[in-house]
Amino acid sequence: MSNIQDLVDGLMNCDDKQAYHCLKQLEDKSSRSAEVYPFFDTFVEMLNNTNSYIRTRGIVLIAANARWDVDYKIDEIIDEYLKHIIDDKPITARQCIKALPSIVKYKPDLKNHIENALHRANPLRYKDSMQLLVFKDIQKSLDNIRNL
């Protein structure tokens, strides 16, 4: 467990490469077992961080642990999570949008709520260069959700 704790602590590392390495290891562990799920509340706290990279890491790890969420923690924080569909940083928004089908796969009761949030999202809030990318991400996520 201390190895997991070290990786979770590493998510806040000011060296983004090191923090990304921790993220990837935690994502991999989350795909195989529930050993990362006890740190779920830490990932939720990360959603409100001023650093968009840290917010993104929280977003990714919440979705990666959806399959292990027997305590319905995602259900409790889904509105807070969905706010990141239109995060101040378009890169963070894109990561959130791309993670949503994973949540729906393991939390089908949230499907309509998530689809509605995606339909309400307005990519026009971003610079021209990002609008089409965000729009395409939304469409792809909606398609993936429909095909689950």
Side-chain angles (χ1 to χ4, degrees):
M1 191 69 119
S2 64
N3 181 36
I4 302 288
Q5 181 67 61
D6 292 342
L7 292 171
V8 171
D9 292 344
L11 293 170
M12 304 297 243
N13 196 314
C14 56
D15 178 348
D16 288 326
K17 286 184 181 180
Q18 185 64 32
Y20 182 76
H21 179 71
C22 292
L23 170 66
K24 287 302 175 188
Q25 287 186 62
L26 289 166
E27 253 188 307
D28 182 57
K29 289 179 184 295
S30 297
S31 72
R32 292 183 274 124
S33 78
E35 67 182 321
V36 177
Y37 180 70
F39 297 91
F40 189 92
D41 293 339
T42 301
F43 308 144
V44 173
E45 289 173 21
M46 293 168 69
L47 294 178
N48 294 313
N49 198 288
T50 55
N51 183 314
S52 65
Y53 292 120
I54 293 173
R55 288 195 305 275
T56 299
R57 293 175 202 135
I59 286 165
V60 168
L61 288 168
I62 287 169
N65 282 278
R67 71 167 54 178
W68 313 115
D69 185 24
V70 295
D71 301 322
Y72 300 97
K73 291 183 176 192
I74 290 178
D75 303 57
E76 294 172 13
I77 59 102
I78 192 64
D79 290 330
E80 182 180 349
Y81 189 94
L82 293 175
K83 287 179 187 174
H84 295 282
I85 290 173
I86 52 166
D87 192 274
D88 289 340
K89 298 290 185 179
I91 301 300
T92 300
R94 294 187 71 203
Q95 292 301 311
C96 177
I97 292 163
K98 290 175 184 180
L100 291 172
S102 303
I103 292 177
V104 172
K105 180 177 180 179
Y106 298 105
K107 297 287 190 172
D109 291 350
L110 297 175
K111 178 181 179 184
N112 289 339
H113 194 65
I114 289 171
E115 284 178 328
N116 289 338
L118 286 168
H119 285 297
R120 285 191 310 268
N122 183 6
L124 297 178
R125 72 186 313 254
Y126 300 116
K127 293 180 181 177
D128 291 346
S129 60
M130 293 303 292
Q131 289 175 9
L132 184 59
L133 294 172
V134 173
F135 178 77
K136 285 181 178 181
D137 290 337
I138 290 170
Q139 291 307 310
K140 185 172 182 181
S141 283
L142 285 167
D143 290 343
N144 289 341
I145 289 169
R146 280 188 211 105
N147 292 327
L148 288 174

Coordinates of all heavy atoms in Angstrom, one line a residue, residues 13-98:
N13 N 3.6 16.2 -7.6 CA 5.0 16.6 -7.9 C 5.1 17.8 -8.8 O 4.4 17.8 -9.8 CB 5.8 15.4 -8.4 CG 7.3 15.6 -8.4 OD1 7.8 16.6 -8.7 ND2 7.9 14.5 -7.9
C14 N 5.9 18.8 -8.5 CA 6.1 19.9 -9.4 C 6.8 19.6 -10.7 O 6.7 20.3 -11.7 CB 6.8 21.1 -8.7 SG 8.4 20.7 -8.0
D15 N 7.5 18.4 -10.7 CA 8.0 17.9 -12.0 C 6.9 17.2 -12.7 O 6.6 16.0 -12.3 CB 9.2 17.0 -11.6 CG 9.9 16.4 -12.9 OD1 9.3 16.4 -14.0 OD2 10.9 15.8 -12.7
D16 N 6.4 17.8 -13.8 CA 5.3 17.2 -14.5 C 5.6 15.8 -15.1 O 4.7 15.0 -15.2 CB 4.7 18.2 -15.5 CG 4.0 19.3 -14.9 OD1 3.4 19.2 -13.9 OD2 4.1 20.4 -15.5
K17 N 6.8 15.6 -15.5 CA 7.1 14.3 -16.0 C 7.0 13.2 -15.0 O 6.5 12.1 -15.2 CB 8.6 14.3 -16.6 CG 8.6 15.0 -18.0 CD 10.0 14.9 -18.6 CE 10.1 15.7 -19.9 NZ 11.4 15.6 -20.5
Q18 N 7.5 13.5 -13.8 CA 7.5 12.6 -12.7 C 6.0 12.3 -12.3 O 5.6 11.2 -12.0 CB 8.3 13.1 -11.5 CG 8.4 12.1 -10.3 CD 9.1 10.8 -10.7 OE1 10.0 10.9 -11.5 NE2 8.7 9.7 -10.1
A19 N 5.2 13.4 -12.2 CA 3.8 13.3 -11.8 C 3.1 12.4 -12.9 O 2.2 11.6 -12.6 CB 3.2 14.6 -11.7
Y20 N 3.4 12.7 -14.2 CA 2.7 11.9 -15.3 C 3.1 10.4 -15.1 O 2.2 9.5 -15.3 CB 3.2 12.5 -16.6 CG 2.5 11.8 -17.8 CD1 1.2 12.0 -18.1 CD2 3.2 10.9 -18.6 CE1 0.6 11.4 -19.2 CE2 2.7 10.2 -19.6 CZ 1.3 10.5 -20.0 OH 0.7 9.9 -21.0
H21 N 4.3 10.1 -14.8 CA 4.8 8.7 -14.6 C 3.9 8.1 -13.5 O 3.5 6.9 -13.6 CB 6.3 8.7 -14.3 CG 6.8 7.4 -14.0 ND1 7.0 6.4 -15.0 CD2 7.2 6.8 -12.9 CE1 7.5 5.3 -14.5 NE2 7.6 5.5 -13.2
C22 N 3.7 8.8 -12.4 CA 2.9 8.3 -11.3 C 1.5 8.1 -11.8 O 0.8 7.0 -11.4 CB 2.9 9.3 -10.1 SG 4.5 9.4 -9.3
L23 N 0.9 9.0 -12.5 CA -0.4 8.9 -13.1 C -0.6 7.6 -13.9 O -1.5 6.8 -13.7 CB -0.8 10.1 -13.9 CG -2.1 10.0 -14.8 CD1 -3.3 9.9 -13.9 CD2 -2.1 11.2 -15.8
K24 N 0.4 7.4 -14.8 CA 0.3 6.2 -15.7 C 0.4 4.9 -14.9 O -0.3 3.9 -15.2 CB 1.4 6.2 -16.7 CG 1.2 7.3 -17.8 CD -0.1 6.9 -18.4 CE -0.7 7.9 -19.4 NZ -2.0 7.6 -19.8
Q25 N 1.2 4.9 -13.8 CA 1.3 3.7 -13.0 C 0.0 3.4 -12.2 O -0.5 2.3 -12.1 CB 2.5 3.8 -12.0 CG 3.8 3.6 -12.7 CD 4.9 3.6 -11.7 OE1 4.9 2.7 -10.8 NE2 5.8 4.6 -11.7
L26 N -0.6 4.5 -11.7 CA -1.9 4.4 -11.0 C -3.0 4.0 -11.9 O -3.9 3.2 -11.6 CB -2.2 5.7 -10.3 CG -1.3 6.0 -9.1 CD1 -1.5 7.5 -8.7 CD2 -1.6 5.1 -7.9
E27 N -3.0 4.5 -13.1 CA -4.0 4.1 -14.1 C -3.9 2.6 -14.4 O -4.9 1.9 -14.5 CB -3.8 4.9 -15.4 CG -4.8 5.9 -15.7 CD -4.6 6.5 -17.1 OE1 -3.5 7.0 -17.5 OE2 -5.6 6.5 -17.9
D28 N -2.7 2.2 -14.6 CA -2.4 0.8 -14.9 C -2.9 -0.1 -13.8 O -3.6 -1.1 -14.0 CB -0.9 0.5 -15.2 CG -0.7 -0.9 -15.5 OD1 -1.3 -1.5 -16.5 OD2 0.2 -1.6 -14.8
K29 N -2.6 0.2 -12.5 CA -3.0 -0.5 -11.4 C -4.5 -0.5 -11.2 O -5.1 -1.5 -10.9 CB -2.4 0.0 -10.1 CG -0.9 -0.3 -10.0 CD -0.3 0.3 -8.7 CE 1.2 0.1 -8.7 NZ 1.6 -1.2 -8.5
S30 N -5.1 0.6 -11.6 CA -6.6 0.8 -11.5 C -7.3 -0.1 -12.5 O -8.4 -0.6 -12.3 CB -7.0 2.2 -11.7 OG -6.5 3.0 -10.7
S31 N -6.6 -0.4 -13.6 CA -7.2 -1.3 -14.6 C -7.2 -2.7 -14.2 O -8.0 -3.5 -14.8 CB -6.5 -1.1 -16.0 OG -5.2 -1.7 -15.9
R32 N -6.4 -3.1 -13.2 CA -6.3 -4.5 -12.8 C -6.9 -4.8 -11.5 O -7.3 -6.0 -11.3 CB -4.8 -4.9 -12.8 CG -4.2 -4.9 -14.2 CD -2.8 -5.4 -14.3 NE -1.9 -4.2 -14.0 CZ -1.0 -4.2 -13.1 NH1 -0.8 -5.2 -12.3 NH2 -0.3 -3.1 -12.9
S33 N -7.0 -3.8 -10.6 CA -7.5 -4.2 -9.3 C -8.0 -2.9 -8.6 O -7.8 -1.8 -9.1 CB -6.5 -4.8 -8.4 OG -5.6 -3.8 -7.9
A34 N -8.6 -3.1 -7.4 CA -9.2 -2.0 -6.7 C -8.2 -1.4 -5.7 O -8.6 -0.6 -4.8 CB -10.5 -2.4 -5.9
E35 N -6.9 -1.7 -5.8 CA -6.0 -1.2 -4.8 C -5.8 0.3 -4.8 O -5.3 0.8 -3.8 CB -4.6 -2.0 -5.0 CG -3.9 -1.6 -6.3 CD -2.6 -2.4 -6.4 OE1 -1.9 -2.6 -5.4 OE2 -2.3 -2.8 -7.5
V36 N -6.1 1.0 -5.8 CA -6.0 2.4 -5.9 C -7.3 3.1 -5.4 O -7.2 4.3 -4.9 CB -5.6 2.9 -7.3 CG1 -5.6 4.4 -7.4 CG2 -4.3 2.3 -7.8
Y37 N -8.4 2.4 -5.4 CA -9.7 3.0 -5.0 C -9.7 3.6 -3.6 O -10.4 4.7 -3.5 CB -10.8 2.0 -5.2 CG -12.2 2.5 -4.8 CD1 -12.8 3.4 -5.6 CD2 -12.8 2.0 -3.7 CE1 -14.1 3.9 -5.3 CE2 -14.1 2.5 -3.3 CZ -14.7 3.4 -4.2 OH -15.9 3.9 -3.8
P38 N -9.0 3.1 -2.6 CA -9.0 3.8 -1.3 C -8.6 5.3 -1.4 O -8.8 6.0 -0.4 CB -8.1 2.9 -0.5 CG -8.2 1.6 -1.1 CD -8.3 1.8 -2.6
F39 N -7.9 5.7 -2.4 CA -7.4 7.1 -2.5 C -8.4 7.9 -3.3 O -8.1 9.1 -3.7 CB -6.0 7.1 -3.2 CG -5.0 6.3 -2.3 CD1 -4.8 5.0 -2.5 CD2 -4.3 7.0 -1.3 CE1 -3.9 4.3 -1.7 CE2 -3.4 6.4 -0.5 CZ -3.2 5.0 -0.7
F40 N -9.6 7.4 -3.6 CA -10.6 8.1 -4.4 C -10.8 9.6 -3.9 O -10.9 10.5 -4.7 CB -11.9 7.3 -4.4 CG -12.9 7.8 -5.4 CD1 -12.9 7.3 -6.7 CD2 -13.8 8.8 -5.1 CE1 -13.9 7.8 -7.6 CE2 -14.7 9.3 -6.0 CZ -14.8 8.8 -7.2
D41 N -10.9 9.7 -2.6 CA -11.2 11.1 -2.1 C -10.1 12.1 -2.4 O -10.4 13.2 -2.6 CB -11.5 11.0 -0.6 CG -12.8 10.2 -0.3 OD1 -13.7 10.1 -1.2 OD2 -12.9 9.8 0.9
T42 N -8.9 11.6 -2.5 CA -7.8 12.4 -2.9 C -7.9 12.9 -4.3 O -7.7 14.1 -4.6 CB -6.4 11.7 -2.7 OG1 -6.3 11.2 -1.4 CG2 -5.2 12.5 -3.1
F43 N -8.4 12.0 -5.2 CA -8.6 12.4 -6.6 C -9.7 13.4 -6.7 O -9.6 14.3 -7.5 CB -8.9 11.1 -7.4 CG -7.9 10.0 -7.3 CD1 -8.3 8.7 -7.3 CD2 -6.6 10.3 -7.1 CE1 -7.4 7.6 -7.2 CE2 -5.7 9.2 -6.9 CZ -6.1 7.9 -7.0
V44 N -10.7 13.3 -5.9 CA -11.8 14.2 -5.9 C -11.3 15.6 -5.5 O -11.6 16.6 -6.1 CB -13.0 13.8 -5.0 CG1 -14.0 14.9 -4.8 CG2 -13.6 12.5 -5.5
E45 N -10.5 15.7 -4.4 CA -9.9 16.9 -4.0 C -9.1 17.6 -5.1 O -9.0 18.8 -5.2 CB -9.0 16.7 -2.8 CG -9.7 16.4 -1.5 CD -8.8 16.0 -0.4 OE1 -7.6 16.4 -0.4 OE2 -9.2 15.3 0.6
M46 N -8.5 16.8 -5.9 CA -7.6 17.3 -7.0 C -8.5 18.0 -8.1 O -7.9 18.9 -8.8 CB -6.9 16.1 -7.7 CG -5.8 15.5 -6.8 SD -5.1 13.9 -7.4 CE -4.2 14.5 -8.8
L47 N -9.8 17.8 -8.2 CA -10.6 18.4 -9.1 C -10.7 19.9 -8.9 O -11.0 20.7 -9.9 CB -12.1 17.9 -9.0 CG -12.3 16.4 -9.4 CD1 -13.7 16.0 -9.2 CD2 -11.9 16.2 -10.9
N48 N -10.4 20.4 -7.7 CA -10.5 21.8 -7.4 C -9.1 22.5 -7.4 O -9.0 23.7 -7.0 CB -11.3 22.0 -6.1 CG -12.7 21.6 -6.2 OD1 -13.4 21.9 -7.2 ND2 -13.1 20.8 -5.3
N49 N -8.1 21.8 -7.8 CA -6.8 22.4 -7.7 C -6.6 23.5 -8.7 O -7.2 23.5 -9.8 CB -5.7 21.3 -8.0 CG -4.3 21.7 -7.5 OD1 -3.7 22.6 -8.1 ND2 -3.9 21.1 -6.4
T50 N -5.8 24.5 -8.4 CA -5.6 25.6 -9.4 C -4.8 25.2 -10.6 O -4.9 25.8 -11.6 CB -5.0 26.8 -8.7 OG1 -3.8 26.4 -8.1 CG2 -5.9 27.4 -7.6
N51 N -4.0 24.1 -10.4 CA -3.2 23.6 -11.5 C -4.0 22.7 -12.4 O -4.5 21.7 -11.9 CB -2.0 22.9 -10.9 CG -1.0 22.4 -11.9 OD1 -1.3 21.8 -12.9 ND2 0.3 22.6 -11.6
S52 N -4.1 23.0 -13.6 CA -4.9 22.2 -14.5 C -4.4 20.8 -14.7 O -5.1 19.9 -15.0 CB -5.1 22.9 -15.9 OG -3.8 23.0 -16.6
Y53 N -3.1 20.6 -14.6 CA -2.5 19.3 -14.8 C -2.9 18.4 -13.6 O -3.2 17.2 -13.8 CB -0.9 19.3 -14.8 CG -0.4 20.0 -16.0 CD1 0.4 21.1 -15.9 CD2 -0.6 19.5 -17.3 CE1 1.0 21.7 -17.1 CE2 -0.1 20.0 -18.4 CZ 0.7 21.2 -18.3 OH 1.2 21.8 -19.4
I54 N -3.0 19.0 -12.4 CA -3.4 18.2 -11.3 C -4.9 17.9 -11.4 O -5.4 16.8 -11.1 CB -3.1 19.0 -9.9 CG1 -1.6 19.0 -9.8 CG2 -3.8 18.3 -8.8 CD1 -1.1 19.9 -8.6
R55 N -5.7 18.9 -11.9 CA -7.2 18.6 -12.1 C -7.3 17.4 -13.1 O -8.1 16.5 -12.9 CB -7.9 19.8 -12.6 CG -8.1 20.9 -11.6 CD -9.1 22.0 -12.1 NE -8.8 22.6 -13.4 CZ -8.0 23.6 -13.6 NH1 -7.4 24.2 -12.6 NH2 -7.9 24.1 -14.8
T56 N -6.5 17.5 -14.1 CA -6.6 16.4 -15.2 C -6.3 15.1 -14.6 O -7.0 14.1 -14.8 CB -5.7 16.7 -16.3 OG1 -6.1 18.0 -16.9 CG2 -5.7 15.6 -17.4
R57 N -5.3 15.0 -13.7 CA -4.9 13.7 -13.1 C -6.0 13.2 -12.3 O -6.3 12.0 -12.3 CB -3.6 13.9 -12.3 CG -2.4 14.2 -13.1 CD -1.1 14.5 -12.3 NE -0.2 15.2 -13.1 CZ 0.4 16.3 -12.7 NH1 0.3 16.8 -11.5 NH2 1.3 16.9 -13.5
G58 N -6.7 14.1 -11.5 CA -7.8 13.6 -10.7 C -8.9 13.1 -11.6 O -9.6 12.1 -11.3
I59 N -9.2 13.8 -12.7 CA -10.3 13.4 -13.6 C -10.0 12.0 -14.1 O -10.9 11.2 -14.2 CB -10.4 14.5 -14.7 CG1 -11.0 15.7 -14.2 CG2 -11.1 13.9 -16.0 CD1 -10.9 16.9 -15.2
V60 N -8.8 11.8 -14.6 CA -8.4 10.5 -15.2 C -8.5 9.4 -14.2 O -9.1 8.3 -14.5 CB -7.0 10.6 -15.8 CG1 -6.5 9.3 -16.1 CG2 -7.0 11.5 -17.0
L61 N -8.1 9.6 -13.0 CA -8.1 8.6 -12.0 C -9.5 8.3 -11.4 O -9.8 7.1 -11.0 CB -7.0 8.9 -10.9 CG -5.6 8.7 -11.4 CD1 -4.6 9.3 -10.4 CD2 -5.3 7.3 -11.7
I62 N -10.3 9.2 -11.3 CA -11.7 9.0 -10.9 C -12.3 8.0 -11.9 O -13.0 7.0 -11.6 CB -12.5 10.3 -10.8 CG1 -12.0 11.0 -9.5 CG2 -14.0 10.0 -10.7 CD1 -12.5 12.5 -9.4
A63 N -12.2 8.4 -13.2 CA -12.8 7.5 -14.3 C -12.1 6.1 -14.3 O -12.8 5.1 -14.4 CB -12.6 8.2 -15.6
A64 N -10.8 6.1 -14.0 CA -10.1 4.8 -14.0 C -10.6 3.9 -12.9 O -10.4 2.7 -12.9 CB -8.6 5.0 -13.9
N65 N -11.2 4.5 -11.8 CA -11.6 3.7 -10.7 C -13.1 3.5 -10.7 O -13.7 3.0 -9.7 CB -11.1 4.3 -9.4 CG -9.6 4.0 -9.2 OD1 -9.3 2.9 -8.7 ND2 -8.8 4.9 -9.6
A66 N -13.8 3.9 -11.7 CA -15.3 3.8 -11.7 C -15.7 2.3 -11.5 O -16.7 2.1 -10.9 CB -15.8 4.3 -13.1
R67 N -15.0 1.4 -12.1 CA -15.4 0.0 -12.0 C -15.3 -0.5 -10.5 O -16.0 -1.5 -10.2 CB -14.5 -0.9 -12.9 CG -13.1 -1.1 -12.4 CD -12.4 -2.2 -13.0 NE -12.4 -2.0 -14.5 CZ -11.8 -2.9 -15.3 NH1 -11.1 -3.9 -14.9 NH2 -11.8 -2.7 -16.6
W68 N -14.6 0.1 -9.7 CA -14.4 -0.3 -8.3 C -15.3 0.5 -7.3 O -15.2 0.2 -6.1 CB -12.9 -0.2 -7.9 CG -12.0 -0.7 -8.9 CD1 -11.1 0.0 -9.6 CD2 -11.9 -2.1 -9.3 NE1 -10.4 -0.9 -10.5 CE2 -10.9 -2.2 -10.3 CE3 -12.5 -3.3 -9.0 CZ2 -10.5 -3.3 -11.0 CZ3 -12.2 -4.5 -9.7 CH2 -11.2 -4.5 -10.6
D69 N -16.0 1.4 -7.8 CA -16.8 2.3 -7.0 C -18.1 1.7 -6.4 O -19.2 2.0 -6.8 CB -17.1 3.6 -7.8 CG -17.8 4.6 -6.9 OD1 -17.6 4.6 -5.7 OD2 -18.6 5.5 -7.5
V70 N -17.9 0.8 -5.5 CA -19.0 0.1 -4.8 C -19.7 1.1 -3.8 O -20.8 0.8 -3.3 CB -18.6 -1.2 -4.1 CG1 -18.1 -2.2 -5.2 CG2 -17.5 -0.9 -3.1
D71 N -19.0 2.2 -3.4 CA -19.5 3.1 -2.4 C -20.3 4.2 -3.1 O -20.7 5.2 -2.4 CB -18.4 3.7 -1.6 CG -17.6 2.6 -0.9 OD1 -18.2 1.6 -0.4 OD2 -16.4 2.7 -0.8
Y72 N -20.5 4.2 -4.4 CA -21.2 5.2 -5.1 C -20.7 6.6 -4.9 O -21.4 7.6 -4.9 CB -22.7 5.2 -4.7 CG -23.4 3.9 -5.0 CD1 -23.5 2.9 -4.0 CD2 -23.8 3.5 -6.3 CE1 -24.1 1.7 -4.3 CE2 -24.3 2.3 -6.6 CZ -24.5 1.4 -5.6 OH -25.0 0.2 -5.9
K73 N -19.4 6.7 -4.8 CA -18.7 8.0 -4.6 C -18.8 8.9 -5.9 O -19.0 10.1 -5.8 CB -17.3 7.8 -4.2 CG -17.1 7.3 -2.8 CD -15.7 7.2 -2.4 CE -15.5 6.7 -1.0 NZ -14.2 6.9 -0.4
I74 N -18.7 8.2 -7.0 CA -18.9 9.0 -8.3 C -20.3 9.6 -8.4 O -20.4 10.8 -8.8 CB -18.6 8.1 -9.5 CG1 -17.1 7.8 -9.6 CG2 -19.0 8.8 -10.8 CD1 -16.6 6.9 -10.7
D75 N -21.3 8.8 -8.0 CA -22.6 9.3 -8.0 C -22.8 10.6 -7.2 O -23.5 11.5 -7.5 CB -23.6 8.3 -7.5 CG -23.5 7.0 -8.3 OD1 -22.4 6.4 -8.3 OD2 -24.6 6.5 -8.8
E76 N -22.0 10.7 -6.1 CA -22.1 11.8 -5.2 C -21.4 13.0 -5.7 O -21.8 14.2 -5.4 CB -21.5 11.4 -3.8 CG -22.3 10.4 -3.1 CD -21.5 9.9 -1.8 OE1 -20.5 10.5 -1.4 OE2 -22.0 8.9 -1.3
I77 N -20.4 12.8 -6.5 CA -19.6 14.0 -7.0 C -19.8 14.2 -8.5 O -19.0 15.1 -9.1 CB -18.1 13.8 -6.7 CG1 -17.5 12.5 -7.3 CG2 -17.9 13.8 -5.2 CD1 -16.7 12.8 -8.5
I78 N -20.7 13.6 -9.1 CA -20.8 13.6 -10.6 C -21.0 15.1 -11.1 O -20.4 15.5 -12.1 CB -21.9 12.7 -11.2 CG1 -21.8 12.6 -12.7 CG2 -23.3 13.1 -10.8 CD1 -20.5 11.9 -13.2
D79 N -21.8 15.9 -10.4 CA -22.0 17.3 -10.9 C -20.7 18.0 -10.9 O -20.4 18.8 -11.8 CB -23.1 18.0 -10.1 CG -24.4 17.4 -10.4 OD1 -24.7 17.0 -11.5 OD2 -25.3 17.4 -9.5
E80 N -19.9 17.9 -9.8 CA -18.6 18.5 -9.7 C -17.7 18.1 -10.8 O -17.0 18.8 -11.4 CB -18.0 18.2 -8.3 CG -16.7 18.9 -8.1 CD -16.1 18.6 -6.7 OE1 -16.7 18.0 -5.9 OE2 -14.9 19.0 -6.6
Y81 N -17.7 16.8 -11.1 CA -16.9 16.2 -12.1 C -17.3 16.7 -13.5 O -16.4 17.1 -14.3 CB -17.1 14.6 -12.1 CG -16.1 13.9 -13.0 CD1 -14.9 13.4 -12.5 CD2 -16.4 13.7 -14.4 CE1 -14.0 12.7 -13.3 CE2 -15.5 13.0 -15.2 CZ -14.3 12.5 -14.6 OH -13.5 11.8 -15.4
L82 N -18.6 16.8 -13.8 CA -19.1 17.2 -15.1 C -18.8 18.7 -15.4 O -18.8 19.1 -16.5 CB -20.6 16.9 -15.2 CG -20.9 15.4 -15.3 CD1 -22.4 15.2 -15.3 CD2 -20.3 14.8 -16.5
K83 N -18.5 19.5 -14.3 CA -18.2 20.9 -14.6 C -16.9 21.0 -15.4 O -16.7 22.0 -16.1 CB -17.9 21.6 -13.2 CG -19.2 21.9 -12.5 CD -18.9 22.5 -11.1 CE -20.1 22.7 -10.3 NZ -19.8 23.2 -8.9
H84 N -16.1 20.0 -15.4 CA -14.8 20.0 -16.1 C -15.0 19.7 -17.6 O -14.0 19.8 -18.3 CB -13.8 19.1 -15.4 CG -13.5 19.5 -14.1 ND1 -12.6 20.6 -13.8 CD2 -13.9 19.1 -12.9 CE1 -12.5 20.8 -12.5 NE2 -13.3 19.9 -11.9
I85 N -16.2 19.4 -18.0 CA -16.5 19.3 -19.5 C -16.2 20.7 -20.1 O -15.8 20.7 -21.3 CB -17.9 18.9 -19.7 CG1 -18.1 17.4 -19.3 CG2 -18.3 19.1 -21.2 CD1 -19.6 17.0 -19.4
I86 N -16.4 21.7 -19.3 CA -16.0 23.1 -19.8 C -15.0 23.7 -18.9 O -15.2 24.9 -18.5 CB -17.3 23.9 -20.0 CG1 -18.2 23.9 -18.7 CG2 -18.1 23.5 -21.2 CD1 -19.2 25.0 -18.7
D87 N -14.0 23.0 -18.5 CA -12.9 23.5 -17.7 C -12.3 24.7 -18.3 O -12.4 24.9 -19.5 CB -11.9 22.4 -17.5 CG -10.9 22.7 -16.4 OD1 -9.9 23.4 -16.7 OD2 -11.1 22.3 -15.3
D88 N -11.7 25.6 -17.5 CA -11.1 26.8 -18.0 C -10.0 26.4 -19.0 O -9.8 27.2 -20.0 CB -10.4 27.6 -16.9 CG -11.4 28.3 -16.0 OD1 -12.6 28.5 -16.4 OD2 -11.1 28.6 -14.8
K89 N -9.4 25.3 -18.8 CA -8.3 24.9 -19.8 C -8.9 23.8 -20.7 O -9.4 22.8 -20.3 CB -7.1 24.3 -19.0 CG -6.4 25.2 -18.1 CD -5.7 26.3 -18.8 CE -4.9 27.2 -17.9 NZ -4.2 28.2 -18.6
P90 N -8.9 24.1 -22.0 CA -9.5 23.1 -22.9 C -8.9 21.8 -22.9 O -9.5 20.8 -23.2 CB -9.3 23.8 -24.3 CG -8.3 24.9 -24.1 CD -8.3 25.3 -22.7
I91 N -7.6 21.7 -22.6 CA -6.9 20.4 -22.6 C -7.5 19.5 -21.4 O -7.8 18.3 -21.6 CB -5.4 20.5 -22.4 CG1 -4.8 21.3 -23.5 CG2 -4.7 19.2 -22.2 CD1 -5.0 20.7 -24.9
T92 N -7.8 20.2 -20.3 CA -8.4 19.5 -19.2 C -9.8 19.1 -19.5 O -10.3 17.9 -19.2 CB -8.4 20.4 -17.9 OG1 -7.0 20.7 -17.6 CG2 -9.0 19.7 -16.7
A93 N -10.6 20.0 -20.2 CA -11.9 19.7 -20.7 C -11.9 18.4 -21.6 O -12.7 17.5 -21.4 CB -12.5 20.9 -21.4
R94 N -11.0 18.4 -22.5 CA -10.9 17.3 -23.4 C -10.7 16.0 -22.7 O -11.2 14.9 -23.1 CB -9.8 17.5 -24.5 CG -10.1 18.7 -25.4 CD -9.1 18.9 -26.5 NE -9.3 17.8 -27.4 CZ -8.4 17.4 -28.3 NH1 -7.2 17.9 -28.3 NH2 -8.7 16.4 -29.1
Q95 N -9.8 16.0 -21.7 CA -9.5 14.7 -21.0 C -10.8 14.3 -20.2 O -11.1 13.1 -20.1 CB -8.4 14.9 -20.0 CG -7.0 15.1 -20.7 CD -6.7 13.9 -21.6 OE1 -6.7 12.8 -21.2 NE2 -6.3 14.2 -22.8
C96 N -11.5 15.2 -19.6 CA -12.7 14.9 -18.9 C -13.7 14.3 -19.9 O -14.3 13.2 -19.6 CB -13.3 16.2 -18.3 SG -14.9 15.9 -17.5
I97 N -13.9 14.9 -21.0 CA -14.9 14.4 -22.0 C -14.5 13.0 -22.5 O -15.4 12.1 -22.6 CB -14.9 15.4 -23.2 CG1 -15.6 16.8 -22.8 CG2 -15.7 14.8 -24.4 CD1 -15.3 17.9 -23.7
K98 N -13.2 12.8 -22.7 CA -12.8 11.5 -23.2 C -13.0 10.4 -22.1 O -13.1 9.2 -22.5 CB -11.3 11.6 -23.6 CG -11.1 12.4 -24.9 CD -9.6 12.5 -25.2 CE -9.4 13.4 -26.4 NZ -8.0 13.5 -26.8

